[in-house]
Amino acid sequence: VGAPRCGASLHDLNKSLKIELNANANCTWQIQRDTNQTIRLIFSYFKFDPSSSCEAESIKIYDGPSTNASLLGQVCNNTDAVPVFQSSSNSLTFLITTNSVPFTRNFFVFYYYFSPETNIENCGGQLTGPNGTFTSPNYPTAYPAFTYCVWHIQTPKNTKINLEFKDFFLELDQNCQFDFTAVYDGLTTNTGLIGKICGRVQPTFESSSNAMTVALSTDYANSYRGFAAQYTSSALPGPTEPNSFLTCSSDTMRIVLSKAYLASLGYNETHPQLNDPSCRPIITDSVIFSFPLGSCGTIKKDDGSSITYTNIVSLFASGGIITRQNSIQIIAKCKMENNSTLEVMYITKNNVIQDITASGRYNVNMSFYESDSFSRPVQQSPYYVDLNQTLFVQVSLDSADPNLLVFVDTCIASPQADFRSLTYDLLRSGCSKDDTVVTYPTLKHYGRFKFNAFRFLQSFPSVYLQCEVLICDSNTTNSRCTQGCISRQKRTASSYRWKTSTIMGPICLKRDLRSADHSESLTKADAEETPNLHQYTFYGLSFLVLLSNIVIVVAVILKYHKCQPGYGYHKLQS
């Protein structure tokens, strides 16, 4: 632990930094090492000037060897998470700036190099039942070093989640800087932190909806047995009509204002209007504005790490010459960052601001298609194909923004849906790793490629695909989505706005389907032959002949039971 007071060039495989800064600091730390691994950077503790804004005081993280690289993200006073960043190459840079207020700022950050392909058993995953359990890797023995696991919990709609740690033992530290578990209200680790815990405790947590996320982070030393957790779900109270709310999808903004709320402000349903007054609302018990993100006067702003769509509902008094009503604006923002959507809505009334926030996800889909026209998607699942058959894959983005581009960066195949065992690269960093892979030119909201069907050795029956998808702004110079195949060393200068992954499968060979059908017909044939064997006893056959037939029947039965699902077999000759 330790580093020069203001900035450094770091080349260690892993390192912890305890940083203390005062006013007017502008310090840069650059991490780089000659290796094919990537970097995970964790800010497990940060304390800024309490009065500071993100514009005046922050930590900015860049995906490369300098501050000229793509901005990965920002940490500041209002960051509601334990920030974790991952580089796309072997270098990463972070810059800390402070304002002029006399105050001692403290930060604890550690990083380590790792291989993204390394899989750790029981490390994260999707939990979708109404209740369930999960444990840290290796529990109840010591958890591994340099581990970052994320569990996404999602229960049925209109429920909330109650999480209880039945057993919990992590390295103890006053600020949980070394090993910690973070619990988030929602499906993202970018915001909504409920709590960060370490040591020996048995805490409980409750979500506000049917979604919760749990993250485990460990450093290089002092590993203990970890945790065993259990979650249950319970019904939320009955729905009540809110005064106002905002929802954002990947292509639509929806603003709802109840008539009762408008009346409390001294207005009615005829007064609200958007930036573009020609976009009129639907009026029921509420006033509802629903419109595509790029319309109705919506303002789009790209700040380098996210894109924000903003529209304003203004309340104007009509008729007469003067008014004694407050001037009111309702400002609605849809902020797209990483693979999630952050919705912010606030009302200004004599400079008083009320915040309403929610969370969602960006809509990316992946499907097989019957041909390279990509007009007819394959509906069946599993998808039965012939060995070496050409398969056509399309990744699509559901968004009304015409300036977004989709790029399929990496695709891997696995015989298991959890991708924790054997994997095979089809695409890596936009480059074909299989001789049969052919990628199509970037086409707005679609990323496309084709490859020939194969099977894994050792008779695995299925193949699943997992693709990492980048989404870029086409107005950005040197966008990653337009660069195609790029080596790991050159990726530091690339630019993209979102990064997400999607899974599809299984793919099964048609011969496995035929084998299953053959096994079924053979079973019926055996069943018909069995009564004939019993009839022989009525013809006075000798005991020796009867015994011979019994031996044959037993042999057929044993042959039947030895057959495994998905394999054909042949009937014994009479």
Side-chain angles (χ1 to χ4, degrees), residues 427-447:
L427 285 166
R428 177 71 62 179
S429 302
C431 304
S432 299
K433 297 298 182 181
D434 179 271
D435 292 339
T436 68
V437 171
V438 176
T439 58
Y440 293 82
T442 301
L443 181 64
K444 290 294 184 180
H445 292 175
Y446 302 98

Side-chain angles (χ1 to χ4, degrees), residues 37-108:
Q37 294 180 308
T38 57
I39 304 166
R40 181 170 288 134
L41 178 69
I42 302 173
F43 292 89
S44 57
Y45 180 77
F46 52 91
K47 187 174 183 180
F48 294 94
D49 164 31
S51 64
S52 65
S53 65
C54 292
E55 290 75 17
E57 190 162 291
S58 68
I59 307 171
K60 292 184 178 179
I61 299 89
Y62 299 89
D63 191 15
S66 72
T67 55
N68 294 324
S70 301
L71 183 67
L72 272 181
Q74 178 176 268
V75 183
C76 54
N77 200 36
N78 65 359
T79 298
D80 186 23
V82 183
V84 179
F85 300 94
Q86 182 176 322
S87 68
S88 62
S89 67
N90 62 350
S91 60
L92 192 147
T93 302
F94 64 95
L95 167 67
I96 304 181
T97 56
T98 64
N99 60 24
S100 58
V101 176
F103 182 81
T104 301
R105 288 85 168 166
N106 289 289
F107 311 93
F108 189 87

Side-chain angles (χ1 to χ4, degrees), residues 425-569:
D425 283 0
L426 293 173
L427 285 166
R428 177 71 62 179
S429 302
C431 304
S432 299
K433 297 298 182 181
D434 179 271
D435 292 339
T436 68
V437 171
V438 176
T439 58
Y440 293 82
T442 301
L443 181 64
K444 290 294 184 180
H445 292 175
Y446 302 98
R448 295 168 173 173
F449 68 96
K450 66 180 180 179
F451 68 98
N452 290 359
F454 61 91
R455 67 179 181 87
F456 283 94
L457 299 177
Q458 301 177 7
S459 300
F460 288 105
S462 303
V463 176
Y464 294 83
L465 294 187
Q466 182 181 58
C467 291
E468 187 176 275
V469 181
L470 307 182
I471 303 172
C472 314
D473 189 338
S474 61
N475 295 321
T476 302
T477 304
N478 198 29
S479 164
R480 173 68 186 98
C481 294
T482 61
Q483 295 174 0
C485 173
I486 289 185
S487 64
R488 179 177 295 274
Q489 288 75 15
K490 295 182 179 179
R491 290 188 67 187
T492 56
S494 303
S495 173
Y496 59 85
R497 295 292 170 261
W498 301 276
K499 185 176 182 180
T500 186
S501 62
T502 182
I503 296 175
M504 179 172 62
I507 312 165
C508 299
L509 293 181
K510 286 182 179 177
R511 71 172 192 173
D512 295 327
L513 178 61
R514 290 193 295 267
S515 297
D517 293 340
H518 177 61
S519 299
E520 182 179 353
S521 63
L522 181 58
T523 302
K524 292 179 180 177
D526 290 342
E528 292 171 358
E529 291 177 5
T530 302
N532 294 333
L533 293 176
H534 289 297
Q535 289 178 1
Y536 294 153
T537 59
F538 297 101
Y539 298 135
L541 294 177
S542 68
F543 178 75
L544 181 60
V545 174
L546 176 61
L547 183 61
S548 300
N549 280 280
I550 291 174
V551 169
I552 293 174
V553 173
V554 171
V556 172
I557 294 173
L558 289 177
K559 178 74 174 179
Y560 169 76
H561 281 293
K562 287 182 179 179
C563 291
Q564 300 297 323
Y567 293 83
Y569 55 90

Side-chain angles (χ1 to χ4, degrees), residues 123-358:
C123 183
Q126 305 283 339
L127 304 172
T128 56
N131 52 71
T133 60
F134 59 100
T135 64
S136 56
N138 299 342
Y139 178 86
T141 59
Y143 47 78
F146 299 128
T147 298
Y148 186 69
C149 308
V150 179
W151 292 266
H152 296 288
I153 307 171
Q154 194 162 19
T155 55
K157 292 182 178 180
N158 300 318
T159 62
K160 61 181 179 179
I161 299 170
N162 301 282
L163 175 67
E164 181 180 1
F165 287 93
K166 297 291 188 178
D167 185 25
F168 191 94
F169 190 4
L170 269 63
E171 183 178 2
L172 178 62
D173 171 68
Q174 183 177 359
N175 296 315
C176 295
Q177 299 175 132
F178 308 119
D179 299 342
F180 62 85
T181 295
V183 181
Y184 296 88
D185 191 7
L187 287 177
T188 175
T189 58
N190 297 329
T191 188
L193 181 66
I194 303 175
K196 183 176 72 167
I197 51 177
C198 60
R200 297 198 66 175
V201 291
Q202 286 186 296
T204 59
F205 298 94
E206 183 177 280
S207 68
S208 62
S209 67
N210 67 327
M212 178 182 280
T213 300
V214 180
L216 169 68
S217 175
T218 69
D219 65 2
Y220 63 93
N222 300 327
S223 294
Y224 298 93
R225 66 171 175 266
F227 64 76
Q230 175 182 347
Y231 74 90
T232 57
S233 59
S234 57
L236 286 169
T240 58
E241 183 182 10
N243 284 329
S244 60
F245 64 86
L246 165 70
T247 54
C248 300
S249 69
S250 58
D251 60 353
T252 303
M253 184 182 296
R254 188 170 187 266
I255 306 168
V256 178
L257 307 171
S258 70
K259 289 182 178 179
Y261 177 66
L262 292 174
S264 70
L265 300 175
Y267 292 92
N268 60 41
E269 64 272 18
T270 65
H271 293 126
Q273 67 179 40
L274 294 173
N275 284 345
D276 182 354
S278 65
C279 292
R280 302 305 303 162
I282 299 172
I283 300 176
T284 56
D285 292 337
S286 299
V287 176
I288 303 171
F289 291 96
S290 183
F291 52 92
L293 287 176
S295 65
C296 296
T298 303
I299 300 170
K300 176 182 173 182
K301 180 182 178 183
D302 184 350
D303 64 6
S305 62
S306 62
I307 294 180
T308 302
Y309 300 90
T310 304
N311 210 313
I312 299 174
V313 180
S314 300
L315 301 179
F316 293 106
S318 58
I321 301 174
I322 67 169
T323 181
R324 290 186 171 88
Q325 291 177 278
N326 291 313
S327 177
I328 296 175
Q329 288 186 321
I330 301 172
I331 304 171
K333 293 186 176 184
C334 294
K335 186 175 183 181
M336 310 294 189
E337 62 180 359
N338 297 328
N339 65 336
S340 64
T341 305
L342 178 64
E343 301 148 355
V344 180
M345 180 175 175
Y346 55 91
I347 296 93
T348 65
K349 178 180 177 181
N350 294 339
N351 296 323
V352 176
I353 298 177
Q354 300 172 342
D355 289 335
I356 302 172
T357 62

